[in-house]
Amino acid sequence: RGRQPVTYDHELVRPALERTLGVPLFQEQLMQMAISAAGFSAGQADQLRRAMGSKRSTERMEALKDQLMRGMRERGIPAAARTRIYDQLKAFADFGFPESHSFSFALIVYVSAWLKVFHPAAFYAAILASQPMGFYSPQSLVADARRHGLAARGPDVQLSGAQARVERTGAGDRPYSELLRGDPELGIRLGLAQVRGIGAQKAEAITAERGRGGAFGSLTDLAHRCALTARQMEALATAGALGALEADRRKALWAAGAAGELPGTTPGLNAPTLPGMSDEELALADMWATGVTLAEYPTVHVRAELDRAGVVANNRVASRPDGEWIKVAGVVTHRQRPGTAGGVTFLNLEDETGQVNIVCTADVWNRFRKVGRTASAMVVAGRLENRDGTVGVKAGHLHPLHLKVPTKSRDFH
């Protein structure tokens, strides 16, 4: 952004650092610095690279210090500059990586972004079908898809594949392959393998049997043709996957356990009059059965309470001024403490509108350790940092947020 002049500790390091504005980023640059500034051979520079990448990087760098300093002195680099250059090399060992990796990461990011923009349904379905993987849970992926205007539907024994797939709204008879083309009417259908207790093998068996024998005619037909246990039938009912056979989820759950018995031997298939499930009960059922709440994100049910408390919805945080004291809330999706962060812990909070990053200094984390480590959702009060398109909240206070729908976070991975 041109706010600081580009400087070099010595002209001998300029060729290595010029393209990254004087800041070493890649292992290849450090090797080039060692060759040009300290007279290392290519073999010695590779030794330096290996030292930087080892688990004992600091110790191995120290072993090369005398050789580096002597080489720089012989090339007329002043003592202060020699120290700064060595400190750059030593510090780099903690966070540097090969330039080839950066190209690979950049390509993956570009391709992923292109797919997300032009083929969003295929993008989300592919990632959901590849779980477990990546940084974000299925719950966050589905919520993000919903925020980008995609319909997300639950598993269905008559419609789902084993894994998540693309589905057309009001799907007609078009071949599945055609659905992979960019189309604003496409949505996502969760796979049967995502239902608790079903798994990939049984999900494949269900879809294969449906392909061979046609659509299932009843709960009993499904249970017998696919050799499903009572527990598996109940999990499918809880997930809403039996909706095509019994629209009322509570009635489906009532009948599911009995469906595997011999026809005519069990009266349990005929459910009595039962109350419908509330939105919160449906969300609880979805979360238990699939790990995803399809209709609404869990924070929707406490939004009125959060509004009264002055909590800012996450999609509005970026419009607030830098330095403002602000309150945000959401489900904790991640807790991280990188070894290079000096004791700082990073949290990510997600509500129905989006995500916000939280920075907890070691002091704040120690004061609110119990909440920080154990709360599945929380309200955070802190100072907004909104600069150069990067938005986050530097936490000053952590308070647990109690939600009726349980959630899980990915912690310290």
Side-chain angles (χ1 to χ4, degrees):
R1 293 179 179 270
R3 294 175 185 165
Q4 292 175 287
V6 177
T7 59
Y8 304 93
D9 290 312
H10 194 273
E11 281 300 305
L12 287 176
V13 300
R14 178 190 286 270
L17 301 181
E18 196 163 22
R19 63 197 173 90
T20 54
L21 308 182
V23 180
L25 298 180
F26 307 119
Q27 286 185 357
E28 291 84 349
Q29 288 179 293
L30 275 293
M31 294 171 67
Q32 188 178 351
M33 287 172 64
I35 291 171
S36 60
F40 272 37
S41 66
Q44 291 170 323
D46 190 59
Q47 276 189 315
L48 179 65
R49 178 192 63 79
R50 292 172 183 271
M52 289 186 292
S54 75
K55 292 183 179 180
R56 298 166 52 224
S57 58
T58 302
E59 181 180 332
R60 293 184 65 177
M61 288 289 291
E62 283 292 334
L64 294 168
K65 181 178 180 179
D66 289 344
Q67 189 176 354
L68 284 163
M69 298 297 273
R70 182 172 60 255
M72 288 189 285
R73 184 174 63 250
E74 291 172 354
R75 279 152 186 78
I77 298 177
R82 293 199 298 268
T83 301
R84 288 194 299 269
I85 292 171
Y86 175 75
D87 287 343
Q88 281 187 326
L89 292 167
K90 183 179 177 182
F92 182 87
D94 288 331
F95 63 84
F97 55 95
E99 186 172 10
S100 58
H101 288 195
S102 72
F103 280 103
S104 299
F105 296 153
L107 178 61
I108 291 170
V109 170
Y110 178 84
V111 171
S112 299
W114 189 93
L115 286 170
K116 186 174 179 180
V117 169
F118 294 105
H119 298 276
F123 169 80
Y124 286 106
I127 297 180
L128 287 166
S130 302
Q131 296 296 314
M133 66 155 289
F135 199 72
Y136 294 103
S137 68
Q139 169 79 330
S140 290
L141 291 167
V142 169
D144 191 62
R146 226 174 13 233
R147 289 191 290 266
H148 284 82
L150 268 71
R153 300 174 178 84
D156 188 308
V157 293
Q158 304 284 45
L159 297 171
S160 289
Q163 303 294 342
R165 60 189 295 173
V166 175
E167 184 174 288
R168 178 176 298 283
T169 304
D173 297 326
R174 293 178 60 186
Y176 177 69
S177 59
E178 292 188 15
L179 300 184
L180 297 180
R181 300 173 186 170
D183 189 321
E185 295 182 359
L186 299 183
I188 306 162
R189 172 73 69 176
L190 295 187
L192 295 173
Q194 193 161 338
V195 178
R196 179 185 291 222
I198 298 299
Q201 186 173 355
K202 180 58 73 172
E204 293 283 0
I206 294 172
T207 58
E209 176 59 31
R210 189 179 69 213
R212 283 191 301 267
F216 302 108
S218 66
L219 298 181
T220 301
D221 183 40
L222 168 68
H224 283 282
R225 284 169 57 186
C226 299
L228 295 170
T229 66
R231 181 165 294 183
Q232 288 171 329
M233 287 292 291
E234 289 168 352
L236 289 167
T238 304
L242 305 181
L245 302 172
E246 172 52 73
D248 185 281
R249 199 181 302 199
R250 203 184 293 277
K251 288 182 179 179
L253 184 57
W254 175 281
E261 302 295 332
L262 289 173
T265 63
T266 305
L269 284 170
N270 299 315
T273 301
L274 297 169
M277 297 177 76
S278 67
D279 289 343
E280 286 190 0
E281 287 172 331
L282 288 170
L284 278 167
D286 286 342
M287 182 60 76
W288 179 88
T290 66
V292 174
T293 55
L294 286 163
E296 296 174 326
Y297 201 77
T299 52
V300 166
H301 305 294
V302 295
R303 176 50 59 193
E305 176 185 340
L306 294 174
D307 288 343
R308 287 192 295 271
V311 174
V312 178
N314 290 346
N315 66 339
R316 298 176 57 196
V317 171
S319 65
R320 308 299 279 261
D322 178 50
E324 179 181 0
W325 186 262
I326 193 173
K327 285 194 285 187
V328 294
V331 170
V332 180
T333 65
H334 303 90
R335 294 174 173 88
Q336 291 181 294
R337 188 182 299 127
T340 56
V344 173
T345 303
F346 299 94
L347 309 177
N348 183 277
L349 297 186
E350 184 172 40
D351 67 8
E352 72 276 15
T353 70
Q355 300 184 358
V356 64
N357 294 314
I358 308 297
V359 179
C360 297
T361 62
D363 177 60
V364 169
W365 187 259
N366 289 333
R367 279 192 288 132
F368 299 100
R369 177 180 294 273
K370 184 176 180 181
V371 176
R373 290 191 67 90
T374 64
S376 59
M378 63 178 71
V379 177
V380 175
R383 192 73 60 190
L384 178 63
E385 297 180 334
N386 189 354
R387 307 185 197 106
D388 298 336
T390 301
V391 181
V393 175
K394 187 174 182 180
H397 189 280
L398 310 180
H399 185 76
L401 175 64
H402 301 290
L403 301 175
K404 293 185 179 180
V405 180
T407 59
K408 293 182 179 180
S409 58
R410 183 177 183 269
D411 297 336
F412 305 111
H413 291 298

